[in-house]
Amino acid sequence: MAQNPSGMDTTGTDTATDATVGAFAAQDPRADLPVAHSQFGLLKQRRFLPFFVVQALGAFNDNVFRQAIIGMLFWLGASSEDKALYASLAPAIFILPYFLFSGLAGQVAEKLEKHRLIRITTAMEIAIMSVAAVGFYLQSLPVLLVALFCTGVQSTLFGPVKYSILPSVLRPEELTGGNGLVEMGTSMSILLGMILGGLLFKLAGDQAPWVSGLAVIALAVAGNLISRMIPRVDAGAPELRVNWNPIPESIHMLKLARKQLAVRNAVLGVSWFWFVGTVLTSQLPAYAELHLGGDATLYIVALALFSIGTGVGSLLCEKLSGRTVEIGLVPLGAFGMSAFILDLYFARTGLAPATGLDLAGFLSADGSLRIVADLVGIGLFAGFFVVPLFALIQSRSPKSELSRVIAGLNIQNSGFIVLAAMSALAAQKLLGWTIPQVFLALAVLNTLVAIWIFTIVPEFLMRFLSWLLVRVLYRLRVRGIEEHVPDEGPALIVCNHVSYMDALILSACIPRPVRFVMYYRIFNIPVMRWIFRTAKAIPIASAKEDPQLLQRAYDEIDAALAEGELVGIFPEGALTRDGTIAPFKAGVERILERARARGQNVPVVPLALRGMWASMWSRRDSRFGRMRVPRRFRAHVETSAAPPVDGATATAAGLEAQVRALRGDAA
């Protein structure tokens, strides 16, 4: 590969800052946060644990309350008409506030301090559950339905702050793990709440109305007390003027959620997740009875399998993503969901051969373990699908708009939930489909929707291919990147250049998107070109080869830094031919000079790749030698970062010395 004097060879967005390295770090309130080296470490820290417990208790209490109403109707021996009335009214009553009040909720969550709003909503929950307790005591379905509507209002107000608080209390590398914990906590709380709520009237006997009322009040009080332990989290837009007209504001929030292409389609993906989940869970009660031959408890078992799978999948996202917002997991999740839903159809296409089975009887029947694996698998890949989408929405939406983006998401989610319920009902009543046939249609539809989303936003598929390549070919170890790569604002990443895969390796390690500057011949490699272009890599050539391309590259680099993005360069100017680090060229100094000329001092983060010389795609061997397996397959590779260097004092020689020291003898 020909060298170029620019010193930049090979593969994001935040707010620009003109600060020096030290002042830059101080501007971000998250810079002083304690470091959690895994998502479970967050459960030991006050910035996350009280919020996690509050949101889990809220989801738990909601489902205890809703299932207790069903338990009361059975306990009273209510007529089929009353049960049908509740079954029809309850979902609509609970979801109606999302349509009516999400516009207001998004504005309030933006204007008020987030810790304060959580305390307000948990205090509301105490009042609402007090009304619910009266309804249980009077055994009055109308009073309980009023309380259910109010619960929907409270959930509508809590929804935007539930997700918009996370980017304020978590570092970017913690977003995926934090969202995974929240999704796991929510899914398990829903399941446990349904179980407890369904048992209250069975276990408490004549005292059930009192016990149910006291239980929901006690849970609400516990949530409010714990909410007071949440530390201060400032408002996203305290100067915002609240528009009390819900219709135009709801439309405005839907537009905010669609302003950025990647965010818009992440929002669409989350809503589609709710569509798929609603269709599946709404069919499980009848499916468990008709096609699994189960008694009343087998439905809860089926729901538990799905919930456990979702929880495990959510927790695995951090491990699989390498603590970055890895949207490459989204296609994996989408197609995995389709595969397991499709297999669920083939696992039991007809009615169950036996009826009235308990759990032991079901598990001993032929084909039961396959169905168990399918239900867990659907949930597992659903976690892979939804957690990175939430992390992407949080990381790429402006903080002053995030609560309103989440409110717009909730409005759209509500519409998809209603559409899912109506579609499943129409398929069965009008088309005469069986439940397995509904599952088959859902698997096909999920695949088509996923392909459509990934076609219009190729970044999802690009990240999946990059993630797959890196995870299959290498075993990565990361040092210093979380501590030294800035969470926000511009920075220049400089690194030694060993292989054609260097940019993809670094992309997999750095939590934020990076605009890599690449020699144009590498940029134009077939297949890889699509990945690099989608990642907004910047092609460059030497002044002798293409002076116009060189100038365009410098202009694009300068514009990216001005927009607060990360830019990655390989200052050697070419792949190493012998494993040593070549002298860094002056291109890095020219970049920094241009930034200073317009008043921006850009920090420089030295990085070193270790172990890549012995891996595939380096120039250590001939073309055929590079493909030798297993010596060069799954090589141990390490990336190490040093503290940022002030752009005002950084030199090519000084940066070269730091990268050499970082790499050491591990070429």
Side-chain angles (χ1 to χ4, degrees):
M1 180 178 66
Q3 295 194 7
N4 65 81
S6 68
M8 294 169 292
D9 186 61
T10 17
T11 141
T13 58
D14 289 283
T15 307
T17 177
D18 299 335
T20 62
V21 177
F24 163 80
Q27 282 187 351
D28 185 1
R30 295 171 299 181
D32 296 326
L33 294 175
V35 176
H37 295 289
S38 78
Q39 61 201 115
F40 299 107
L42 294 172
L43 296 176
K44 301 176 183 178
Q45 298 183 8
R46 187 185 168 198
R47 60 186 169 116
F48 182 80
L49 179 59
F51 162 74
F52 173 79
V53 175
V54 167
Q55 66 87 24
L57 275 176
F60 180 73
N61 201 15
D62 283 352
N63 285 274
V64 168
F65 172 46
R66 292 160 70 177
Q67 286 299 121
I69 297 175
I70 298 174
M72 187 191 76
L73 292 176
F74 280 93
W75 182 73
L76 292 173
S79 64
S80 299
E81 290 77 12
D82 285 343
K83 295 176 185 175
L85 177 65
Y86 174 78
S88 301
L89 286 178
I93 287 174
F94 184 78
I95 206 169
L96 181 61
Y98 284 92
F99 288 105
L100 297 178
F101 304 118
S102 284
L104 176 63
Q107 295 177 88
V108 172
E110 213 81 89
K111 187 173 181 64
L112 294 182
E113 298 91 342
K114 292 176 172 56
H115 67 288
R116 179 183 171 196
L117 181 57
I118 292 175
R119 293 171 191 174
I120 291 172
T121 55
T122 53
M124 287 176 58
E125 186 178 2
I126 296 174
I128 294 167
M129 290 307 163
S130 298
V131 174
V134 172
F136 283 126
Y137 174 70
L138 298 177
Q139 299 168 22
S140 170
L141 184 60
V143 174
L144 291 170
L145 290 177
V146 169
L148 183 63
F149 177 82
C150 294
T151 300
V153 173
Q154 187 260 349
S155 297
T156 302
L157 291 173
F158 183 71
V161 75
K162 173 181 177 179
Y163 288 105
S164 65
I165 194 175
L166 291 178
S168 299
V169 300
L170 300 180
R171 297 170 178 267
E173 63 270 17
E174 296 170 338
L175 267 182
T176 297
N179 277 283
L181 285 170
V182 169
E183 290 305 312
M184 180 277 297
T186 300
S187 61
M188 298 310 298
S189 295
I190 290 172
L191 173 64
L192 296 175
M194 292 180 68
I195 293 173
L196 177 61
L199 292 175
L200 280 174
F201 274 84
K202 292 182 180 179
L203 300 179
D206 293 339
Q207 305 302 316
W210 280 101
V211 172
S212 299
L214 288 175
V216 294
I217 291 175
L219 288 169
V221 170
N224 181 258
L225 292 175
I226 295 172
S227 73
R228 298 177 185 278
M229 300 172 62
I230 297 174
R232 179 184 178 86
V233 182
D234 291 333
E239 74 290 345
L240 182 70
R241 295 184 63 181
V242 176
N243 180 1
W244 297 95
N245 189 333
I247 296 177
E249 194 57 36
S250 296
I251 294 172
H252 175 62
M253 289 183 186
L254 287 170
K255 290 180 179 178
L256 281 179
R258 297 170 183 172
K259 192 163 65 172
Q260 295 186 52
L261 185 61
V263 173
R264 183 192 75 183
N265 289 282
V267 167
L268 178 61
V270 172
S271 296
W272 180 251
F273 165 80
W274 279 102
F275 181 96
V276 173
T278 300
V279 171
L280 283 170
T281 55
S282 66
Q283 300 304 306
L284 280 183
Y287 180 75
E289 180 182 356
L290 297 175
H291 299 277
L292 304 185
D295 58 16
T297 62
L298 199 57
Y299 154 62
I300 298 297
V301 172
L303 183 63
L305 293 171
F306 176 76
S307 299
I308 291 170
T310 303
V312 172
S314 299
L315 292 178
L316 284 175
C317 284
E318 182 184 67
K319 180 68 173 177
L320 292 174
S321 67
R323 290 172 65 81
T324 65
V325 179
E326 183 50 82
I327 58 175
L329 292 178
V330 177
L332 177 67
F335 295 121
M337 287 166 61
S338 293
F340 278 103
I341 295 172
L342 184 64
D343 192 69
L344 187 62
Y345 163 75
F346 287 110
R348 187 68 59 83
T349 57
L351 297 176
T355 59
L357 299 176
D358 58 10
L359 177 59
F362 166 70
L363 292 177
S364 64
D366 291 339
S368 60
L369 295 182
R370 179 180 178 183
I371 294 172
V372 168
D374 286 337
L375 290 171
V376 174
I378 295 169
L380 183 77
F381 282 92
F384 294 165
F385 181 79
V386 75
V387 168
L389 290 177
F390 271 120
L392 183 144
I393 293 168
Q394 293 160 346
S395 64
R396 299 203 187 177
S397 297
K399 288 184 179 179
S400 60
E401 297 177 358
L402 180 55
S403 293
R404 286 173 287 172
V405 169
I406 298 297
L409 168 64
N410 287 340
I411 296 171
Q412 186 168 287
N413 286 348
S414 304
F416 272 68
I417 290 170
V418 172
L419 179 62
M422 294 175 61
S423 299
L425 184 63
Q428 292 175 277
K429 299 298 183 183
L430 300 180
L431 301 179
W433 289 2
T434 64
I435 296 176
Q437 287 173 330
V438 171
F439 292 162
L440 174 62
L442 184 64
V444 174
L445 192 59
N446 186 63
T447 302
L448 294 176
V449 169
I451 291 173
W452 176 66
I453 292 176
F454 306 143
T455 300
I456 60 177
V457 187
E459 183 183 0
F460 285 89
L461 189 57
M462 179 276 296
R463 289 295 309 183
F464 171 65
L465 293 175
S466 301
W467 174 84
L468 192 63
L469 278 171
V470 171
R471 301 295 165 180
V472 168
L473 295 177
Y474 303 101
R475 282 173 283 188
L476 283 176
R477 187 174 184 181
V478 180
R479 294 177 180 270
I481 286 181
E482 291 184 9
E483 294 84 356
H484 302 313
V485 175
D487 293 339
E488 292 184 348
L492 192 64
I493 308 292
V494 298
C495 186
N496 58 315
H497 199 12
V498 190
S499 80
Y500 295 104
M501 295 291 289
D502 291 353
L504 295 183
I505 293 285
L506 296 181
S507 293
C509 300
I510 298 174
R512 292 173 56 192
V514 182
R515 299 283 303 277
F516 281 98
V517 183
M518 309 175 65
Y519 184 51
Y520 76 102
R521 293 187 185 276
I522 293 181
F523 182 89
N524 289 323
I525 291 175
V527 180
M528 301 299 289
R529 172 184 173 87
W530 179 80
I531 295 178
F532 295 143
R533 178 183 290 172
T534 305
K536 298 182 180 179
I538 301 172
I540 196 168
S542 69
K544 291 182 180 180
E545 292 174 298
D546 193 335
Q548 291 183 338
L549 180 59
L550 175 63
Q551 185 58 44
R552 284 200 304 270
Y554 275 116
D555 292 342
E556 198 167 349
I557 293 166
D558 199 50
L561 292 172
E563 290 296 319
E565 300 184 62
L566 295 180
V567 174
I569 66 171
F570 298 93
E572 295 169 84
L575 288 177
T576 179
R577 294 180 177 274
D578 57 8
T580 62
I581 297 177
F584 280 15
K585 297 183 181 296
V588 60
E589 296 177 3
R590 181 177 173 184
I591 292 170
L592 297 173
E593 288 171 2
R594 287 189 57 161
R596 287 198 300 272
R598 55 178 171 75
Q600 186 184 44
N601 187 26
V602 177
V604 186
V605 182
L607 259 68
L609 283 165
R610 298 161 54 88
M612 286 297 291
W613 180 242
S615 71
M616 298 176 71
W617 309 114
S618 72
R619 290 192 163 186
R620 174 179 169 180
D621 292 329
S622 65
R623 181 172 298 179
F624 290 108
R626 292 175 202 155
M627 304 304 295
R628 280 196 281 175
V629 177
R631 182 171 69 85
R632 313 197 62 185
F633 187 67
R634 295 289 291 161
H636 289 275
V637 174
E638 183 176 306
T639 59
S640 298
V645 177
D646 190 339
T649 60
T651 63
L655 294 171
E656 177 194 332
Q658 284 203 280
V659 173
R660 287 181 181 276
L662 279 174
R663 197 206 67 169
D665 296 328

